[in-house]
Amino acid sequence: MNTVIIKNIFRSTTTLCMRSQKSINTAAACIVKRDFHTTKPTQDLMEFFDAKKNWPETNIRVGRAWKLDELRLKSNTDLHKLWYVLLKERNMLYTMEHECNERVRLFPNPERIDKVEESMNNIESVIRERNIAYYKLETGETGERPVKDVINLIGMPEKYQPSEYDTPKFMNTRWVRPYLKHGFINSLAVKKFRRLYNEKIHSEVRKAHNRDFNHVQHLLKRFPNLDMDTLKAEYPNVDIEKAKRTKKSRGHFMPTY
Amino acid sequence: MRIYGYLAKKVGDLTIKYSNFPESYVKKSYEQVYWKTPAGYPQYKKAQVARKKYRFTTNRPWTGQFRQQNEPGTLRKKVFLEPIRDWTFFRGDRVEVMVGKDKGKQGIVSQVIQERNWVIVEGLNTHLRVVGKDKNFPGITIQSEAPLLVTSDVKLVDPESLKATDVEWRYTEEGDKVRVSLASSRIIPIPKTAEETIDYKSKELYIDNIEKDTTADAATKITFAPKLRTFEMDIMEEMGIKEDRVPAKSYWY
């Protein structure tokens, strides 16, 4: 009898021990995680503001934004952490900018916002790059949201991004196709709109062409040692031989070309 | 292209490098946008009404003087710029002046203004200017340099003969792009001063902002290890998030 009880006690102690071992393990994991956790212990609204000693500063100089090549060296966890560091910094900058405007003061170094945004964009593109690589390897597709080239209801070419639905297309009676089937325009109004719109675009292109031609003529008139290859590269749509023959392009010098 | 075409590539890349600002900030600081399609209305075509013609001078695009010179309503005569394929003049270069009262003299380039094909040579091509003239004070006369056109007014100096020479960009056997003097075929190295910006003289001399900047060691440390996982899968594993639910079938159209 006694032995059974003792056995039971032992069993329970061992389980207790195991439990405690587990709890120790989890506690250790927590500690390890806390080591990586870099947020400041003060978690109040003042985290939206800059450090107090920076408030009267007129010039807060910081380094440049993170480049793509630097971010490519970093692990996913690091990128994830860096994203939140940048997000907090951006929130802080927006708050400080707003506060400076409220108090009619100059916000020091507003280019910091652009630097943070550039870094965040770069992080996004690096992550996208990695995900695309994974999906291409595993499924042969990019895994990005699909994009279709369609003609929209007013006859303009558009990039259509399909959305996700729980019912298939033929069952979904509430869905209305927001683009033309096969790109075929059969509405008079759309046809008229396209005609006028094309005319507008055509006249804009023509004007740009005339403007460039005129500009080249003036350049030929002004600069006797003009490099023709550079000119051709800069204005590929202009007929330079024709421009050279015009009266407008004749300068007060003997041309070398 | 038609909407933003006239705003594209007006400020030279050397100017942006010198300013040490992100390109988007420089653009924002000199642009005069009068009206823009409001954000959050995808049904409207993106358009903006903005000033098209800016006069670039020795005042840098992000400064107040630039804004003052390009005040709304001011229109100045068009400036014709000779197109240049590869820019060859950098801050700190030794150049010879080919025109004006300092013709034949050599000096150091102190400023490059790419928007106008200009360089300013230290102490050359100067005029006198009276500064601070008042009713009671006659003012101080100072020498100020006038800009010189890189296409015709200055030439780089050949390092061997110390005479003005034409220059060409070529590649070395290692694949580096270098400037080569056509007179002696010697390489003209790009001076250290060329990397000077508003904030620092050279990259090594930049002083870190201890609170805000990431240290160079931390920035260049390689922590990436290739894994067969997407970003989301990796983060979920790292944080101990388990997801066993199978998503319902969905259709994309």
mmCIF file with all atom_site columns, all heavy atoms in Angstrom, chain A residues 53 73-75 78 114 131 164-165 167 172 204, chain B residues 2 24 211 218 221 223-224 231 234 250-251 253:
data_model
loop_
_atom_site.group_PDB
_atom_site.id
_atom_site.type_symbol
_atom_site.label_atom_id
_atom_site.label_alt_id
_atom_site.label_comp_id
_atom_site.label_asym_id
_atom_site.label_entity_id
_atom_site.label_seq_id
_atom_site.pdbx_PDB_ins_code
_atom_site.Cartn_x
_atom_site.Cartn_y
_atom_site.Cartn_z
_atom_site.occupancy
_atom_site.B_iso_or_equiv
_atom_site.pdbx_formal_charge
_atom_site.auth_seq_id
_atom_site.auth_comp_id
_atom_site.auth_asym_id
_atom_site.auth_atom_id
_atom_site.pdbx_PDB_model_num
ATOM 1   N N   . LYS A 1 53  ? 15.847  66.435 -25.922 1.00 0.00 ? 53  LYS A N   1
ATOM 2   C CA  . LYS A 1 53  ? 16.999  67.308 -26.169 1.00 0.00 ? 53  LYS A CA  1
ATOM 3   C C   . LYS A 1 53  ? 17.091  67.740 -27.640 1.00 0.00 ? 53  LYS A C   1
ATOM 4   O O   . LYS A 1 53  ? 17.800  68.676 -27.978 1.00 0.00 ? 53  LYS A O   1
ATOM 5   C CB  . LYS A 1 53  ? 18.282  66.639 -25.686 1.00 0.00 ? 53  LYS A CB  1
ATOM 6   C CG  . LYS A 1 53  ? 18.844  65.588 -26.604 1.00 0.00 ? 53  LYS A CG  1
ATOM 7   C CD  . LYS A 1 53  ? 20.269  65.271 -26.182 1.00 0.00 ? 53  LYS A CD  1
ATOM 8   C CE  . LYS A 1 53  ? 21.030  64.832 -27.354 1.00 0.00 ? 53  LYS A CE  1
ATOM 9   N NZ  . LYS A 1 53  ? 21.520  63.565 -27.506 1.00 0.00 ? 53  LYS A NZ  1
ATOM 10  N N   . LEU A 1 73  ? 21.618  41.875 -47.697 1.00 0.00 ? 73  LEU A N   1
ATOM 11  C CA  . LEU A 1 73  ? 22.486  41.110 -46.795 1.00 0.00 ? 73  LEU A CA  1
ATOM 12  C C   . LEU A 1 73  ? 21.756  40.672 -45.535 1.00 0.00 ? 73  LEU A C   1
ATOM 13  O O   . LEU A 1 73  ? 22.271  39.858 -44.774 1.00 0.00 ? 73  LEU A O   1
ATOM 14  C CB  . LEU A 1 73  ? 23.682  41.974 -46.364 1.00 0.00 ? 73  LEU A CB  1
ATOM 15  C CG  . LEU A 1 73  ? 24.583  42.562 -47.429 1.00 0.00 ? 73  LEU A CG  1
ATOM 16  C CD1 . LEU A 1 73  ? 25.645  43.399 -46.783 1.00 0.00 ? 73  LEU A CD1 1
ATOM 17  C CD2 . LEU A 1 73  ? 25.219  41.453 -48.240 1.00 0.00 ? 73  LEU A CD2 1
ATOM 18  N N   . LYS A 1 74  ? 20.587  41.230 -45.288 1.00 0.00 ? 74  LYS A N   1
ATOM 19  C CA  . LYS A 1 74  ? 19.945  41.034 -43.982 1.00 0.00 ? 74  LYS A CA  1
ATOM 20  C C   . LYS A 1 74  ? 18.934  39.900 -44.012 1.00 0.00 ? 74  LYS A C   1
ATOM 21  O O   . LYS A 1 74  ? 18.254  39.682 -45.017 1.00 0.00 ? 74  LYS A O   1
ATOM 22  C CB  . LYS A 1 74  ? 19.226  42.335 -43.572 1.00 0.00 ? 74  LYS A CB  1
ATOM 23  C CG  . LYS A 1 74  ? 20.165  43.510 -43.409 1.00 0.00 ? 74  LYS A CG  1
ATOM 24  C CD  . LYS A 1 74  ? 21.109  43.280 -42.276 1.00 0.00 ? 74  LYS A CD  1
ATOM 25  C CE  . LYS A 1 74  ? 22.150  44.373 -42.209 1.00 0.00 ? 74  LYS A CE  1
ATOM 26  N NZ  . LYS A 1 74  ? 23.275  44.001 -41.372 1.00 0.00 ? 74  LYS A NZ  1
ATOM 27  N N   . SER A 1 75  ? 18.815  39.218 -42.877 1.00 0.00 ? 75  SER A N   1
ATOM 28  C CA  . SER A 1 75  ? 17.862  38.110 -42.773 1.00 0.00 ? 75  SER A CA  1
ATOM 29  C C   . SER A 1 75  ? 16.446  38.665 -42.690 1.00 0.00 ? 75  SER A C   1
ATOM 30  O O   . SER A 1 75  ? 16.240  39.860 -42.430 1.00 0.00 ? 75  SER A O   1
ATOM 31  C CB  . SER A 1 75  ? 18.157  37.287 -41.530 1.00 0.00 ? 75  SER A CB  1
ATOM 32  O OG  . SER A 1 75  ? 17.882  38.048 -40.384 1.00 0.00 ? 75  SER A OG  1
ATOM 33  N N   . ASP A 1 78  ? 15.648  40.349 -39.436 1.00 0.00 ? 78  ASP A N   1
ATOM 34  C CA  . ASP A 1 78  ? 16.236  41.689 -39.328 1.00 0.00 ? 78  ASP A CA  1
ATOM 35  C C   . ASP A 1 78  ? 15.416  42.708 -40.109 1.00 0.00 ? 78  ASP A C   1
ATOM 36  O O   . ASP A 1 78  ? 15.183  43.818 -39.643 1.00 0.00 ? 78  ASP A O   1
ATOM 37  C CB  . ASP A 1 78  ? 17.670  41.681 -39.853 1.00 0.00 ? 78  ASP A CB  1
ATOM 38  C CG  . ASP A 1 78  ? 18.629  41.137 -38.814 1.00 0.00 ? 78  ASP A CG  1
ATOM 39  O OD1 . ASP A 1 78  ? 18.151  40.857 -37.704 1.00 0.00 ? 78  ASP A OD1 1
ATOM 40  O OD2 . ASP A 1 78  ? 19.826  40.985 -39.117 1.00 0.00 ? 78  ASP A OD2 1
ATOM 41  N N   . ASP A 1 114 ? 11.736  61.641 -46.273 1.00 0.00 ? 114 ASP A N   1
ATOM 42  C CA  . ASP A 1 114 ? 11.995  61.005 -47.572 1.00 0.00 ? 114 ASP A CA  1
ATOM 43  C C   . ASP A 1 114 ? 12.985  59.860 -47.430 1.00 0.00 ? 114 ASP A C   1
ATOM 44  O O   . ASP A 1 114 ? 12.855  58.824 -48.092 1.00 0.00 ? 114 ASP A O   1
ATOM 45  C CB  . ASP A 1 114 ? 12.542  62.026 -48.566 1.00 0.00 ? 114 ASP A CB  1
ATOM 46  C CG  . ASP A 1 114 ? 11.482  62.995 -49.011 1.00 0.00 ? 114 ASP A CG  1
ATOM 47  O OD1 . ASP A 1 114 ? 11.045  63.795 -48.172 1.00 0.00 ? 114 ASP A OD1 1
ATOM 48  O OD2 . ASP A 1 114 ? 11.074  62.935 -50.184 1.00 0.00 ? 114 ASP A OD2 1
ATOM 49  N N   . ASN A 1 131 ? 10.384  36.615 -52.037 1.00 0.00 ? 131 ASN A N   1
ATOM 50  C CA  . ASN A 1 131 ? 9.167   35.808 -52.189 1.00 0.00 ? 131 ASN A CA  1
ATOM 51  C C   . ASN A 1 131 ? 8.993   35.338 -53.629 1.00 0.00 ? 131 ASN A C   1
ATOM 52  O O   . ASN A 1 131 ? 8.599   34.201 -53.864 1.00 0.00 ? 131 ASN A O   1
ATOM 53  C CB  . ASN A 1 131 ? 7.945   36.619 -51.748 1.00 0.00 ? 131 ASN A CB  1
ATOM 54  C CG  . ASN A 1 131 ? 7.830   36.663 -50.240 1.00 0.00 ? 131 ASN A CG  1
ATOM 55  O OD1 . ASN A 1 131 ? 8.672   36.116 -49.536 1.00 0.00 ? 131 ASN A OD1 1
ATOM 56  N ND2 . ASN A 1 131 ? 6.804   37.310 -49.745 1.00 0.00 ? 131 ASN A ND2 1
ATOM 57  N N   . GLU A 1 164 ? -10.132 38.506 -55.384 1.00 0.00 ? 164 GLU A N   1
ATOM 58  C CA  . GLU A 1 164 ? -10.397 37.151 -54.933 1.00 0.00 ? 164 GLU A CA  1
ATOM 59  C C   . GLU A 1 164 ? -11.883 37.027 -54.551 1.00 0.00 ? 164 GLU A C   1
ATOM 60  O O   . GLU A 1 164 ? -12.396 37.888 -53.826 1.00 0.00 ? 164 GLU A O   1
ATOM 61  C CB  . GLU A 1 164 ? -9.521  36.833 -53.729 1.00 0.00 ? 164 GLU A CB  1
ATOM 62  C CG  . GLU A 1 164 ? -9.382  35.367 -53.448 1.00 0.00 ? 164 GLU A CG  1
ATOM 63  C CD  . GLU A 1 164 ? -8.395  35.107 -52.330 1.00 0.00 ? 164 GLU A CD  1
ATOM 64  O OE1 . GLU A 1 164 ? -8.022  36.066 -51.635 1.00 0.00 ? 164 GLU A OE1 1
ATOM 65  O OE2 . GLU A 1 164 ? -8.014  33.938 -52.150 1.00 0.00 ? 164 GLU A OE2 1
ATOM 66  N N   . TYR A 1 165 ? -12.556 35.978 -55.049 1.00 0.00 ? 165 TYR A N   1
ATOM 67  C CA  . TYR A 1 165 ? -13.967 35.749 -54.712 1.00 0.00 ? 165 TYR A CA  1
ATOM 68  C C   . TYR A 1 165 ? -14.134 34.319 -54.229 1.00 0.00 ? 165 TYR A C   1
ATOM 69  O O   . TYR A 1 165 ? -13.346 33.445 -54.599 1.00 0.00 ? 165 TYR A O   1
ATOM 70  C CB  . TYR A 1 165 ? -14.863 35.982 -55.927 1.00 0.00 ? 165 TYR A CB  1
ATOM 71  C CG  . TYR A 1 165 ? -14.879 37.411 -56.404 1.00 0.00 ? 165 TYR A CG  1
ATOM 72  C CD1 . TYR A 1 165 ? -14.004 37.827 -57.394 1.00 0.00 ? 165 TYR A CD1 1
ATOM 73  C CD2 . TYR A 1 165 ? -15.755 38.343 -55.854 1.00 0.00 ? 165 TYR A CD2 1
ATOM 74  C CE1 . TYR A 1 165 ? -13.993 39.131 -57.830 1.00 0.00 ? 165 TYR A CE1 1
ATOM 75  C CE2 . TYR A 1 165 ? -15.758 39.648 -56.284 1.00 0.00 ? 165 TYR A CE2 1
ATOM 76  C CZ  . TYR A 1 165 ? -14.877 40.039 -57.263 1.00 0.00 ? 165 TYR A CZ  1
ATOM 77  O OH  . TYR A 1 165 ? -14.881 41.330 -57.693 1.00 0.00 ? 165 TYR A OH  1
ATOM 78  N N   . THR A 1 167 ? -16.965 32.592 -54.819 1.00 0.00 ? 167 THR A N   1
ATOM 79  C CA  . THR A 1 167 ? -17.792 31.857 -55.788 1.00 0.00 ? 167 THR A CA  1
ATOM 80  C C   . THR A 1 167 ? -17.170 31.991 -57.169 1.00 0.00 ? 167 THR A C   1
ATOM 81  O O   . THR A 1 167 ? -16.589 33.028 -57.486 1.00 0.00 ? 167 THR A O   1
ATOM 82  C CB  . THR A 1 167 ? -19.210 32.444 -55.855 1.00 0.00 ? 167 THR A CB  1
ATOM 83  O OG1 . THR A 1 167 ? -19.092 33.859 -55.865 1.00 0.00 ? 167 THR A OG1 1
ATOM 84  C CG2 . THR A 1 167 ? -20.050 32.014 -54.689 1.00 0.00 ? 167 THR A CG2 1
ATOM 85  N N   . ASN A 1 172 ? -21.460 33.905 -59.843 1.00 0.00 ? 172 ASN A N   1
ATOM 86  C CA  . ASN A 1 172 ? -21.525 35.204 -59.184 1.00 0.00 ? 172 ASN A CA  1
ATOM 87  C C   . ASN A 1 172 ? -22.355 36.164 -60.024 1.00 0.00 ? 172 ASN A C   1
ATOM 88  O O   . ASN A 1 172 ? -21.868 36.761 -60.991 1.00 0.00 ? 172 ASN A O   1
ATOM 89  C CB  . ASN A 1 172 ? -20.100 35.739 -59.003 1.00 0.00 ? 172 ASN A CB  1
ATOM 90  C CG  . ASN A 1 172 ? -20.053 36.855 -57.995 1.00 0.00 ? 172 ASN A CG  1
ATOM 91  O OD1 . ASN A 1 172 ? -21.082 37.440 -57.665 1.00 0.00 ? 172 ASN A OD1 1
ATOM 92  N ND2 . ASN A 1 172 ? -18.869 37.153 -57.523 1.00 0.00 ? 172 ASN A ND2 1
ATOM 93  N N   . GLU A 1 204 ? -0.941  66.522 -79.425 1.00 0.00 ? 204 GLU A N   1
ATOM 94  C CA  . GLU A 1 204 ? 0.114   66.721 -78.426 1.00 0.00 ? 204 GLU A CA  1
ATOM 95  C C   . GLU A 1 204 ? 1.452   66.188 -78.919 1.00 0.00 ? 204 GLU A C   1
ATOM 96  O O   . GLU A 1 204 ? 2.490   66.829 -78.748 1.00 0.00 ? 204 GLU A O   1
ATOM 97  C CB  . GLU A 1 204 ? -0.273  66.024 -77.116 1.00 0.00 ? 204 GLU A CB  1
ATOM 98  C CG  . GLU A 1 204 ? -0.958  66.963 -76.151 1.00 0.00 ? 204 GLU A CG  1
ATOM 99  C CD  . GLU A 1 204 ? -1.535  66.244 -74.950 1.00 0.00 ? 204 GLU A CD  1
ATOM 100 O OE1 . GLU A 1 204 ? -1.047  65.152 -74.624 1.00 0.00 ? 204 GLU A OE1 1
ATOM 101 O OE2 . GLU A 1 204 ? -2.473  66.784 -74.352 1.00 0.00 ? 204 GLU A OE2 1
ATOM 102 N N   . ARG B 2 2   ? 3.412   62.162 -70.692 1.00 0.00 ? 2   ARG B N   1
ATOM 103 C CA  . ARG B 2 2   ? 3.015   63.511 -71.084 1.00 0.00 ? 2   ARG B CA  1
ATOM 104 C C   . ARG B 2 2   ? 2.783   64.397 -69.881 1.00 0.00 ? 2   ARG B C   1
ATOM 105 O O   . ARG B 2 2   ? 2.977   65.596 -69.930 1.00 0.00 ? 2   ARG B O   1
ATOM 106 C CB  . ARG B 2 2   ? 1.760   63.460 -71.945 1.00 0.00 ? 2   ARG B CB  1
ATOM 107 C CG  . ARG B 2 2   ? 2.033   63.087 -73.375 1.00 0.00 ? 2   ARG B CG  1
ATOM 108 C CD  . ARG B 2 2   ? 0.766   63.049 -74.171 1.00 0.00 ? 2   ARG B CD  1
ATOM 109 N NE  . ARG B 2 2   ? -0.172  62.080 -73.642 1.00 0.00 ? 2   ARG B NE  1
ATOM 110 C CZ  . ARG B 2 2   ? -1.316  62.412 -73.078 1.00 0.00 ? 2   ARG B CZ  1
ATOM 111 N NH1 . ARG B 2 2   ? -1.651  63.670 -72.932 1.00 0.00 ? 2   ARG B NH1 1
ATOM 112 N NH2 . ARG B 2 2   ? -2.121  61.478 -72.621 1.00 0.00 ? 2   ARG B NH2 1
ATOM 113 N N   . SER B 2 24  ? 13.878  62.527 -54.382 1.00 0.00 ? 24  SER B N   1
ATOM 114 C CA  . SER B 2 24  ? 12.475  62.936 -54.266 1.00 0.00 ? 24  SER B CA  1
ATOM 115 C C   . SER B 2 24  ? 12.353  64.235 -53.472 1.00 0.00 ? 24  SER B C   1
ATOM 116 O O   . SER B 2 24  ? 11.514  65.081 -53.764 1.00 0.00 ? 24  SER B O   1
ATOM 117 C CB  . SER B 2 24  ? 11.671  61.843 -53.581 1.00 0.00 ? 24  SER B CB  1
ATOM 118 O OG  . SER B 2 24  ? 12.197  61.575 -52.301 1.00 0.00 ? 24  SER B OG  1
ATOM 119 N N   . GLU B 2 211 ? 22.574  58.617 -31.908 1.00 0.00 ? 211 GLU B N   1
ATOM 120 C CA  . GLU B 2 211 ? 21.242  58.116 -31.560 1.00 0.00 ? 211 GLU B CA  1
ATOM 121 C C   . GLU B 2 211 ? 20.502  57.560 -32.759 1.00 0.00 ? 211 GLU B C   1
ATOM 122 O O   . GLU B 2 211 ? 19.735  56.615 -32.641 1.00 0.00 ? 211 GLU B O   1
ATOM 123 C CB  . GLU B 2 211 ? 20.402  59.253 -30.969 1.00 0.00 ? 211 GLU B CB  1
ATOM 124 C CG  . GLU B 2 211 ? 20.900  59.710 -29.624 1.00 0.00 ? 211 GLU B CG  1
ATOM 125 C CD  . GLU B 2 211 ? 20.535  61.156 -29.389 1.00 0.00 ? 211 GLU B CD  1
ATOM 126 O OE1 . GLU B 2 211 ? 19.511  61.601 -29.929 1.00 0.00 ? 211 GLU B OE1 1
ATOM 127 O OE2 . GLU B 2 211 ? 21.296  61.826 -28.677 1.00 0.00 ? 211 GLU B OE2 1
ATOM 128 N N   . ALA B 2 218 ? 27.190  47.347 -38.270 1.00 0.00 ? 218 ALA B N   1
ATOM 129 C CA  . ALA B 2 218 ? 25.862  46.726 -38.201 1.00 0.00 ? 218 ALA B CA  1
ATOM 130 C C   . ALA B 2 218 ? 25.209  46.703 -39.578 1.00 0.00 ? 218 ALA B C   1
ATOM 131 O O   . ALA B 2 218 ? 24.495  45.756 -39.918 1.00 0.00 ? 218 ALA B O   1
ATOM 132 C CB  . ALA B 2 218 ? 24.991  47.478 -37.211 1.00 0.00 ? 218 ALA B CB  1
ATOM 133 N N   . LYS B 2 221 ? 26.944  43.930 -41.816 1.00 0.00 ? 221 LYS B N   1
ATOM 134 C CA  . LYS B 2 221 ? 26.989  42.559 -41.284 1.00 0.00 ? 221 LYS B CA  1
ATOM 135 C C   . LYS B 2 221 ? 26.019  41.670 -42.064 1.00 0.00 ? 221 LYS B C   1
ATOM 136 O O   . LYS B 2 221 ? 24.870  42.043 -42.285 1.00 0.00 ? 221 LYS B O   1
ATOM 137 C CB  . LYS B 2 221 ? 26.588  42.592 -39.811 1.00 0.00 ? 221 LYS B CB  1
ATOM 138 C CG  . LYS B 2 221 ? 26.980  41.350 -39.056 1.00 0.00 ? 221 LYS B CG  1
ATOM 139 C CD  . LYS B 2 221 ? 26.509  41.457 -37.624 1.00 0.00 ? 221 LYS B CD  1
ATOM 140 C CE  . LYS B 2 221 ? 26.476  40.085 -37.012 1.00 0.00 ? 221 LYS B CE  1
ATOM 141 N NZ  . LYS B 2 221 ? 25.666  40.078 -35.790 1.00 0.00 ? 221 LYS B NZ  1
ATOM 142 N N   . THR B 2 223 ? 23.598  38.817 -42.326 1.00 0.00 ? 223 THR B N   1
ATOM 143 C CA  . THR B 2 223 ? 22.788  37.906 -41.507 1.00 0.00 ? 223 THR B CA  1
ATOM 144 C C   . THR B 2 223 ? 21.885  37.045 -42.379 1.00 0.00 ? 223 THR B C   1
ATOM 145 O O   . THR B 2 223 ? 21.168  36.198 -41.877 1.00 0.00 ? 223 THR B O   1
ATOM 146 C CB  . THR B 2 223 ? 21.901  38.694 -40.522 1.00 0.00 ? 223 THR B CB  1
ATOM 147 O OG1 . THR B 2 223 ? 21.134  39.634 -41.269 1.00 0.00 ? 223 THR B OG1 1
ATOM 148 C CG2 . THR B 2 223 ? 22.724  39.420 -39.489 1.00 0.00 ? 223 THR B CG2 1
ATOM 149 N N   . PHE B 2 224 ? 21.947  37.264 -43.687 1.00 0.00 ? 224 PHE B N   1
ATOM 150 C CA  . PHE B 2 224 ? 21.064  36.516 -44.589 1.00 0.00 ? 224 PHE B CA  1
ATOM 151 C C   . PHE B 2 224 ? 21.567  35.097 -44.780 1.00 0.00 ? 224 PHE B C   1
ATOM 152 O O   . PHE B 2 224 ? 22.747  34.876 -45.041 1.00 0.00 ? 224 PHE B O   1
ATOM 153 C CB  . PHE B 2 224 ? 20.987  37.230 -45.936 1.00 0.00 ? 224 PHE B CB  1
ATOM 154 C CG  . PHE B 2 224 ? 20.191  36.491 -46.958 1.00 0.00 ? 224 PHE B CG  1
ATOM 155 C CD1 . PHE B 2 224 ? 18.828  36.375 -46.836 1.00 0.00 ? 224 PHE B CD1 1
ATOM 156 C CD2 . PHE B 2 224 ? 20.817  35.885 -48.039 1.00 0.00 ? 224 PHE B CD2 1
ATOM 157 C CE1 . PHE B 2 224 ? 18.081  35.682 -47.766 1.00 0.00 ? 224 PHE B CE1 1
ATOM 158 C CE2 . PHE B 2 224 ? 20.079  35.193 -48.979 1.00 0.00 ? 224 PHE B CE2 1
ATOM 159 C CZ  . PHE B 2 224 ? 18.712  35.098 -48.839 1.00 0.00 ? 224 PHE B CZ  1
ATOM 160 N N   . PHE B 2 231 ? 9.080   35.097 -46.969 1.00 0.00 ? 231 PHE B N   1
ATOM 161 C CA  . PHE B 2 231 ? 9.297   36.000 -45.840 1.00 0.00 ? 231 PHE B CA  1
ATOM 162 C C   . PHE B 2 231 ? 8.300   35.712 -44.724 1.00 0.00 ? 231 PHE B C   1
ATOM 163 O O   . PHE B 2 231 ? 8.669   35.580 -43.558 1.00 0.00 ? 231 PHE B O   1
ATOM 164 C CB  . PHE B 2 231 ? 9.142   37.441 -46.338 1.00 0.00 ? 231 PHE B CB  1
ATOM 165 C CG  . PHE B 2 231 ? 9.252   38.468 -45.261 1.00 0.00 ? 231 PHE B CG  1
ATOM 166 C CD1 . PHE B 2 231 ? 10.478  38.862 -44.773 1.00 0.00 ? 231 PHE B CD1 1
ATOM 167 C CD2 . PHE B 2 231 ? 8.113   39.041 -44.726 1.00 0.00 ? 231 PHE B CD2 1
ATOM 168 C CE1 . PHE B 2 231 ? 10.574  39.805 -43.776 1.00 0.00 ? 231 PHE B CE1 1
ATOM 169 C CE2 . PHE B 2 231 ? 8.193   39.984 -43.724 1.00 0.00 ? 231 PHE B CE2 1
ATOM 170 C CZ  . PHE B 2 231 ? 9.437   40.370 -43.250 1.00 0.00 ? 231 PHE B CZ  1
ATOM 171 N N   . ASP B 2 234 ? 8.946   32.477 -42.842 1.00 0.00 ? 234 ASP B N   1
ATOM 172 C CA  . ASP B 2 234 ? 10.117  32.605 -41.978 1.00 0.00 ? 234 ASP B CA  1
ATOM 173 C C   . ASP B 2 234 ? 9.773   33.352 -40.690 1.00 0.00 ? 234 ASP B C   1
ATOM 174 O O   . ASP B 2 234 ? 10.134  32.938 -39.589 1.00 0.00 ? 234 ASP B O   1
ATOM 175 C CB  . ASP B 2 234 ? 11.219  33.344 -42.747 1.00 0.00 ? 234 ASP B CB  1
ATOM 176 C CG  . ASP B 2 234 ? 12.583  33.084 -42.153 1.00 0.00 ? 234 ASP B CG  1
ATOM 177 O OD1 . ASP B 2 234 ? 12.694  32.138 -41.356 1.00 0.00 ? 234 ASP B OD1 1
ATOM 178 O OD2 . ASP B 2 234 ? 13.522  33.823 -42.475 1.00 0.00 ? 234 ASP B OD2 1
ATOM 179 N N   . SER B 2 250 ? -10.801 29.632 -53.475 1.00 0.00 ? 250 SER B N   1
ATOM 180 C CA  . SER B 2 250 ? -11.187 30.977 -53.919 1.00 0.00 ? 250 SER B CA  1
ATOM 181 C C   . SER B 2 250 ? -10.933 31.100 -55.417 1.00 0.00 ? 250 SER B C   1
ATOM 182 O O   . SER B 2 250 ? -10.212 30.295 -56.009 1.00 0.00 ? 250 SER B O   1
ATOM 183 C CB  . SER B 2 250 ? -10.400 32.018 -53.158 1.00 0.00 ? 250 SER B CB  1
ATOM 184 O OG  . SER B 2 250 ? -9.041  31.929 -53.498 1.00 0.00 ? 250 SER B OG  1
ATOM 185 N N   . TYR B 2 251 ? -11.566 32.096 -56.002 1.00 0.00 ? 251 TYR B N   1
ATOM 186 C CA  . TYR B 2 251 ? -11.493 32.283 -57.454 1.00 0.00 ? 251 TYR B CA  1
ATOM 187 C C   . TYR B 2 251 ? -11.045 33.714 -57.754 1.00 0.00 ? 251 TYR B C   1
ATOM 188 O O   . TYR B 2 251 ? -11.523 34.664 -57.136 1.00 0.00 ? 251 TYR B O   1
ATOM 189 C CB  . TYR B 2 251 ? -12.866 32.013 -58.088 1.00 0.00 ? 251 TYR B CB  1
ATOM 190 C CG  . TYR B 2 251 ? -13.409 30.640 -57.725 1.00 0.00 ? 251 TYR B CG  1
ATOM 191 C CD1 . TYR B 2 251 ? -14.176 30.451 -56.577 1.00 0.00 ? 251 TYR B CD1 1
ATOM 192 C CD2 . TYR B 2 251 ? -13.117 29.541 -58.529 1.00 0.00 ? 251 TYR B CD2 1
ATOM 193 C CE1 . TYR B 2 251 ? -14.643 29.203 -56.235 1.00 0.00 ? 251 TYR B CE1 1
ATOM 194 C CE2 . TYR B 2 251 ? -13.587 28.277 -58.186 1.00 0.00 ? 251 TYR B CE2 1
ATOM 195 C CZ  . TYR B 2 251 ? -14.355 28.119 -57.041 1.00 0.00 ? 251 TYR B CZ  1
ATOM 196 O OH  . TYR B 2 251 ? -14.803 26.889 -56.709 1.00 0.00 ? 251 TYR B OH  1
ATOM 197 N N   . TYR B 2 253 ? -10.952 36.678 -60.382 1.00 0.00 ? 253 TYR B N   1
ATOM 198 C CA  . TYR B 2 253 ? -11.424 37.241 -61.650 1.00 0.00 ? 253 TYR B CA  1
ATOM 199 C C   . TYR B 2 253 ? -11.729 38.707 -61.493 1.00 0.00 ? 253 TYR B C   1
ATOM 200 O O   . TYR B 2 253 ? -11.691 39.259 -60.421 1.00 0.00 ? 253 TYR B O   1
ATOM 201 C CB  . TYR B 2 253 ? -12.637 36.498 -62.193 1.00 0.00 ? 253 TYR B CB  1
ATOM 202 C CG  . TYR B 2 253 ? -13.764 36.247 -61.217 1.00 0.00 ? 253 TYR B CG  1
ATOM 203 C CD1 . TYR B 2 253 ? -14.781 37.185 -61.042 1.00 0.00 ? 253 TYR B CD1 1
ATOM 204 C CD2 . TYR B 2 253 ? -13.825 35.069 -60.467 1.00 0.00 ? 253 TYR B CD2 1
ATOM 205 C CE1 . TYR B 2 253 ? -15.818 36.962 -60.156 1.00 0.00 ? 253 TYR B CE1 1
ATOM 206 C CE2 . TYR B 2 253 ? -14.863 34.849 -59.568 1.00 0.00 ? 253 TYR B CE2 1
ATOM 207 C CZ  . TYR B 2 253 ? -15.851 35.797 -59.419 1.00 0.00 ? 253 TYR B CZ  1
ATOM 208 O OH  . TYR B 2 253 ? -16.865 35.588 -58.545 1.00 0.00 ? 253 TYR B OH  1
#
